[in-house]
Amino acid sequence: MTEQTVTAGPDTLLNAVVGSDLEVVELGHPYTTGMPCSPNHPGFRMTLIRRHGDMVRPDGGSASNEIIVTGGHVGTHVDALSHVSHCGKLHGDIDAEEAQRGGRHSKHGAENIPFMLCRGLLLDVPRVRGVEALEAGQAVTEQDLRDAADAAGVTPRRGDVVLIRTGWARHFDDAQRYLGQQDGVPGAEVGAGQWLADAGIVAAGADTTAFEHIPPGKGHSVLPVHRILLVDNGIHIIEHLNLEAASARGLTEFTFVMAPLRITGGTGSPVRPVAVVAK
């Protein structure tokens, strides 16, 4: 049998990336012990369990490693469709109680959250309103999103990821204010959530702890936008984003890249989302 050499053809995407003048803009927060998280979830903790010098190899080499303990909805993360149910049902009319048996979700687990390489849109609500950041407990309406989209010259469409900036990420180091248990947190209200769902997007994100509007004194007692996106429409939610650099850069439309961890049966995953744009 004669050997044949197969020569791979040029990779169009690789050729477009290598040597091109691209910039990567971070869209999330670093993971830090003690960073703010919802009281509904265990917080993030990291500590070294082995330090350099604890054990030294004969050739002088040493190593250090850590232990990490965290909930799946702490820091910048994405919700799986198993995260929220309504009247006992997950997205697609799946029985939630049956799906969660055995200590992990057999349906809609985090391993099924897609890798996202798609068009991303930044809807910068404070920029349109002429303020640096929205007020605590302030609702983001459908009209706010329409105005932000018009100002950016974009229209959400099927397969997009839409990120809503409220400016709230600037309070990330002030856990009490950021979580807003007393004063509330700005975010999308029901009409805004439905507008996003009607566009057919694959994911929506915001720079707050719960994505949606948290009125003063209400906490996370009711989360109707989670139901609209996750349960009714199968749209993933990305929370705890940091959109300040993207806003300062004036981003509106960009290539969005995000790779969730494939946590079998989980309800969410830490992520490191980025925007890739031409310099």
Side-chain angles (χ1 to χ4, degrees), residues 242-258:
N242 186 351
L243 303 175
E244 296 307 285
S247 176
R249 177 72 166 68
L251 296 191
T252 55
E253 183 180 14
F254 46 87
T255 299
F256 179 84
V257 184
M258 186 181 80

Side-chain angles (χ1 to χ4, degrees), residues 216-240:
K218 295 294 185 180
H220 297 174
S221 57
V222 181
L223 298 174
V225 179
H226 275 63
R227 173 186 56 78
I228 291 170
L229 296 181
L230 292 169
V231 182
D232 295 347
N233 292 280
I235 296 170
H236 298 280
I237 300 175
I238 310 165
E239 293 160 330
H240 292 295

